[in-house]
């Protein structure tokens, strides 16, 4: 395993317990509460969704409750162990790497990758893998950390020659890569910190909203 991947995996193996203590609240009332409604706007119920970077499985569980078949995947074995508490019919979990996933081509009707592309050394390679496992024309939901997100501190060591485990890809960069892959942009929403009020962002264009965001939610369809 390459140094970057090993360091990222070790970080999340160590953070699994802390994440699990907060994840359900994040999905229900916190920074991730917009995600499920965002998915439901476009992706038909009963679709098979791959939750790529599923963490402790809380989001996968909510997707299953909403009427989707879900397969969750995470880099961290400790996260998968936590996620398996949720396993039931049409909800399963596997350990895997975003840059080399253990799924056959076109395995899913849609995929969701929330704050997971940021943790790979080669985002383009990961996005090509995402495209491989989704059916032609299938929906791709990506939640990308914005400039105001606290987890970006994991990239700071790169400034002093240290080992970074977060690639700090900006939302506009994801848009550029998606264009190069031929994906079609379907929808976009922004998650802001509590201090950013609605009247502050009203009328701003996409780039400025991205610049203020904690997380930008993207909905694409694959080129097939």
């Amino acid at each position: 395993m390459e140094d970057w991947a090993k360091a990222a995996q070790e970080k999340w193996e160590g953070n699994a317990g802390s994440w699990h203590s907060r994840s359900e609240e994040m999905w229900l009332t916190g920074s991730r509460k917009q995600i499920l409604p965002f998915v439901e706007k476009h992706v038909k119920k009963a679709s098979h969704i791959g939750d790529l970077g599923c963490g402790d499985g809380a989001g996968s569980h909510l997707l299953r409750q909403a009427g989707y078949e879900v397969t969750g995947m995470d880099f961290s074995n400790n996260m998968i162990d936590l996620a398996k508490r949720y396993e039931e019919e049409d909800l399963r979990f596997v350990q895997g790497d975003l840059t080399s996933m253990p799924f056959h081509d076109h395995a899913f009707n849609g995929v969701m990758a929330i704050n997971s592309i940021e943790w790979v050394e080669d985002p383009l390679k990961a996005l090509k893998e995402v495209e491989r496992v989704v059916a032609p024309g299938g929906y791709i939901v990506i939640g990308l950390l914005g400039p105001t997100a606290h987890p970006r501190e994991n990239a700071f060591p790169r400034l002093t020659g240290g080992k970074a485990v977060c690639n700090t890809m900006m939302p506009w960069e994801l848009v550029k890569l998606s264009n190069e892959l031929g994906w079609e942009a379907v929808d976009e929403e922004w998650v802001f910190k509590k201090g950013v009020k609605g009247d502050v962002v009203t009328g701003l264009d996409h780039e400025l909203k991205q610049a203020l965001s904690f997380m930008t939610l993207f909905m694409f369809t694959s080129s097939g």
Side-chain angles (χ1 to χ4, degrees), residues 27-217:
W27 281 97
L28 294 176
T29 61
S31 62
R32 296 188 168 205
K33 67 180 180 181
Q34 293 174 225
I35 295 172
L36 184 57
F38 186 68
V39 172
E40 291 181 295
K41 281 171 59 178
H42 300 283
V43 185
K44 292 180 180 178
K45 298 297 176 70
S47 296
H48 188 188
I49 295 179
D51 185 2
L52 311 178
C54 66
D56 71 337
S60 302
H61 173 62
L62 290 173
L63 283 171
R64 177 68 191 100
Q65 287 189 320
Y68 298 98
E69 179 183 355
V70 185
T71 298
M73 185 199 79
D74 201 87
F75 203 18
S76 164
N77 288 294
N78 290 341
M79 287 289 198
I80 292 299
D81 287 343
L82 290 167
K84 286 186 175 181
R85 301 179 186 186
Y86 292 114
E87 281 194 328
E88 57 173 306
E89 184 179 2
D90 291 333
L91 175 59
R92 64 195 68 85
F93 298 95
V94 298
Q95 192 275 341
D97 183 342
L98 267 172
T99 61
S100 181
M101 289 187 273
F103 307 120
H104 60 74
D105 294 356
H106 308 156
F108 304 109
N109 305 117
V111 294
M112 180 174 80
I114 305 300
N115 302 155
S116 54
I117 301 295
E118 295 89 333
W119 302 98
V120 300
E121 187 173 12
D122 187 342
L124 180 58
K125 184 177 181 180
L127 294 176
K128 287 180 178 179
E129 267 291 274
V130 166
E131 183 175 55
R132 181 185 68 78
V133 301
V134 71
Y139 286 104
I140 298 170
V141 181
I142 296 179
L144 194 73
L145 292 174
T148 69
H150 176 71
R152 295 220 176 274
E153 69 179 15
N154 292 283
F156 183 80
R158 79 193 191 287
L159 300 179
T160 56
K163 183 184 296 182
V165 293
C166 186
N167 62 49
T168 68
M169 183 168 67
M170 290 289 102
W172 70 267
E173 292 174 315
L174 174 59
V175 171
K176 185 172 176 60
L177 289 178
S178 71
N179 289 338
E180 292 179 1
L181 290 167
W183 296 358
E184 179 182 351
V186 175
D187 201 357
E188 185 174 334
E189 287 187 11
W190 307 271
V191 178
F192 301 108
K193 289 189 173 182
K194 293 179 180 179
V196 179
K197 301 185 183 301
D199 56 355
V200 174
V201 298
T202 300
L204 298 181
D205 65 21
H206 282 198
E207 286 190 354
L208 289 174
K209 288 178 179 177
Q210 290 171 5
L212 291 173
S213 71
F214 173 85
M215 174 171 58
T216 300
L217 298 174

Side-chain angles (χ1 to χ4, degrees), residues 6-40:
K6 183 177 180 180
Q9 185 178 31
E10 288 176 350
K11 174 179 176 58
W12 286 105
E13 296 288 14
N15 284 357
S18 174
W19 180 266
H20 181 58
S21 71
R22 298 176 287 117
S23 66
E24 184 173 310
E25 184 278 330
M26 285 191 287
W27 281 97
L28 294 176
T29 61
S31 62
R32 296 188 168 205
K33 67 180 180 181
Q34 293 174 225
I35 295 172
L36 184 57
F38 186 68
V39 172
E40 291 181 295

